[in-house]
Amino acid sequence: MKKRIITLLTVVVSILCGCSGINTETAVLNEKSTVQAISVTTNSNDYNYTVKDVKNLQDFLLNRPVSDNLKDKPYDMNNDGVWNVFDLCMLKHKLLSPAQNDNDTVVVYFSRTNNTEKIANYIIDITGAEKYEIEAEIPYTDEDLDYTNSSCRANQEQNDKSYRPEIAEPMESIDRYEVIYLGYPIWWGEEPRIIDTFLEIYDFSDKTVIPFCTSASSGIATSERNIKNHVPIGNLLEGKRFSASASKSEVEEWINGLNIMKNPVEEKLYLTINGTKISATFEDNSSAQALKEKLAEGDIIIDAHDYGNFEKVGDLGFSLPRNDTQITTTPGDLILYQGNQFTIYYDENSWNFTKLGHVDNMTQEEIKKLLGDGDVTITLSLI
């Protein structure tokens, strides 16, 4: 009767606090798990929780086999000396909380003998990155990695470039990460095929990826080349091979030498003309900067008219600082005239002007066609 009450309470609390994944037919908790937690000495504030921790705690509560050693795991989230469904809910909430989601760097690694995991943990300690361990749906055994056996599992996989071992619990998304350290051991001179599985699941076209590997002797070059050729990657930095005995200071020296400064996002000027929105690149001067500041307050609408068969010009409604120089315009130039007139050129003209920018990737014919004949309304914006 006691177990039934515990089961019912577990299900009710799970619903109320938003936890999922507990099977109501089998959710009979291990009685020990509801009485006291395994001895905990780890400070939870210093522990990097992952999805695997959620699975560990859930399996423990459901009296399922747990592959990890749970001794010293900081799963007593509310410090009441008990591991129960409340701790499971708090753990899930911690992983999804905004504070956790601010981190834009993650260390992703696959490690069979813990050598790569050691390097991964060094990187996490040094950078404060989040952590995700790639685990095979069918775990690798020692026999699977027997180099002397030509028919062992790893040998067969490495000899088949199309083979893709399944990942046990893939990451839901990598969208919020900008920098991804990708770690793996070297198998048969290359990355394990499960790394290829990981690469094919997600979009890395706007990510910075930094490979690192562990091996007894083989280098990282072949695996780097494979990764580069396998999927589009925004910025693939040069990786690093570490030995099993590599120190934390060696890893830190490598990280400090990486060029992972983010490229600043170039702010664009947008012009909407006759319902078509085009972009332009700002000039680097105080006049363009002042225009940006005005646009930050809101869009600017200009009623422009033809002048001289080479430009459309209209009153800004305010004045900007001038940086006049003698200019021969080209089609697409955006010009400030007399401090308060905005001009878009579709042909050449020479005069003392201040250049504000230039339209991106449009020919003279395309600009003329967009501007049309007669008066036109031009809306300037930053988005």
Side-chain angles (χ1 to χ4, degrees):
M1 181 65 180
K2 180 180 178 182
K3 285 189 177 182
R4 290 182 180 177
I5 292 173
I6 292 173
T7 301
L8 180 59
L9 177 61
T10 301
V11 175
V12 170
V13 172
S14 299
I15 294 172
L16 290 177
C17 70
C19 288
S20 61
I22 293 182
N23 186 324
T24 58
E25 294 181 1
T26 60
V28 178
L29 301 183
N30 182 323
E31 288 186 320
K32 282 189 177 181
S33 72
T34 63
V35 175
Q36 67 180 56
I38 294 176
S39 174
V40 174
T41 58
T42 303
N43 186 343
S44 61
N45 292 328
D46 298 329
Y47 187 84
N48 291 305
Y49 291 97
T50 68
V51 174
K52 188 175 182 183
D53 291 305
V54 174
K55 185 176 186 302
N56 281 343
L57 181 55
Q58 183 167 292
D59 287 344
F60 176 80
L61 294 177
L62 296 177
N63 203 22
R64 294 172 179 164
V66 180
S67 59
D68 285 1
N69 182 355
L70 300 189
K71 180 176 174 55
D72 295 337
K73 293 288 188 182
Y75 294 165
D76 184 12
M77 306 299 292
N78 58 357
N79 299 313
D80 64 354
V82 175
W83 285 2
N84 56 26
V85 72
F86 293 100
D87 297 303
L88 182 61
C89 289
M90 291 177 68
L91 178 52
K92 287 190 174 183
H93 178 73
K94 184 177 182 67
L95 283 174
L96 296 174
S97 67
Q100 291 286 320
N101 290 341
D102 285 343
N103 201 330
D104 67 357
T105 303
V106 63
V107 177
V108 176
Y109 68 93
F110 170 71
S111 185
R112 171 61 181 81
T113 60
N114 300 324
N115 290 334
T116 304
E117 181 173 49
K118 184 186 77 169
I119 304 301
N121 286 332
Y122 285 159
I123 297 172
I124 291 166
D125 289 343
I126 294 164
T127 65
E130 294 188 12
K131 172 181 179 179
Y132 170 71
E133 181 180 2
I134 299 172
E135 294 186 281
E137 181 70 29
I138 302 175
Y140 290 90
T141 65
D142 291 340
E143 291 75 16
D144 291 336
L145 304 181
D146 184 359
Y147 286 80
T148 64
N149 180 2
S150 61
S151 62
C152 75
R153 174 184 173 186
N155 205 332
Q156 294 182 48
E157 290 180 1
Q158 293 303 104
N159 287 332
D160 182 359
K161 291 187 178 293
S162 67
Y163 193 85
R164 298 292 179 266
E166 291 189 19
I167 295 175
E169 294 184 14
M171 300 172 71
E172 289 187 8
S173 171
I174 63 168
D175 289 351
R176 66 186 179 89
Y177 299 114
E178 295 186 21
V179 177
I180 300 169
Y181 288 86
L182 181 60
Y184 46 86
I186 294 295
W187 286 2
W188 283 257
E190 298 182 325
E191 77 284 1
R193 296 290 170 246
I194 199 167
I195 295 297
D196 299 334
T197 305
F198 175 79
L199 290 170
E200 290 179 0
I201 295 175
Y202 310 101
D203 179 8
F204 296 88
S205 60
D206 63 347
K207 309 298 181 186
T208 294
V209 176
I210 310 170
F212 65 96
C213 72
T214 55
S215 75
S217 59
S218 299
I220 196 173
T222 300
S223 64
E224 279 186 308
R225 186 167 57 251
N226 291 345
I227 290 169
K228 179 180 180 179
N229 295 332
H230 197 60
V231 295
I233 293 177
N235 187 20
L236 180 64
L237 298 189
E238 183 178 353
K240 175 76 173 178
R241 170 202 165 269
F242 295 96
S243 67
S245 60
S247 65
K248 185 175 180 179
S249 61
E250 184 179 345
V251 176
E252 186 167 18
E253 182 180 357
W254 168 63
I255 291 173
N256 290 339
L258 290 173
N259 181 21
I260 55 174
M261 296 297 292
K262 299 173 187 174
N263 294 324
V265 177
E266 185 178 26
E267 195 167 24
K268 291 288 186 177
L269 170 63
Y270 294 95
L271 301 86
T272 302
I273 304 169
N274 293 326
T276 299
K277 193 172 189 178
I278 61 174
S279 68
T281 300
F282 281 106
E283 192 73 4
D284 184 14
N285 59 33
S286 60
S287 308
Q289 183 59 41
L291 178 59
K292 288 182 190 178
E293 293 171 3
K294 279 287 188 179
L295 287 168
E297 301 172 3
D299 296 352
I300 298 171
I301 300 175
I302 300 167
D303 293 322
H305 59 273
D306 273 301
Y307 179 83
N309 292 321
F310 47 70
E311 68 179 9
K312 296 277 189 180
V313 59
D315 192 346
L316 279 168
F318 53 85
S319 293
L320 295 173
R322 296 167 65 170
N323 289 277
D324 291 347
T325 58
Q326 182 68 29
I327 299 173
T328 297
T329 64
T330 60
D333 277 348
L334 306 178
I335 298 296
L336 176 69
Y337 176 61
Q338 293 186 341
N340 61 1
Q341 302 291 306
F342 180 87
T343 301
I344 177 170
Y345 273 81
Y346 53 84
D347 213 324
E348 293 184 357
N349 182 38
S350 295
W351 201 260
N352 282 322
F353 299 125
T354 295
K355 189 173 180 180
L356 294 172
H358 187 85
V359 171
D360 295 329
N361 304 318
M362 290 188 73
T363 65
Q364 180 179 22
E365 291 72 21
E366 289 171 335
I367 294 171
K368 282 185 174 181
K369 183 177 180 181
L370 177 62
L371 291 171
D373 297 325
D375 296 349
V376 65
T377 299
I378 304 172
T379 301
L380 306 183
S381 65
L382 291 178
I383 56 174

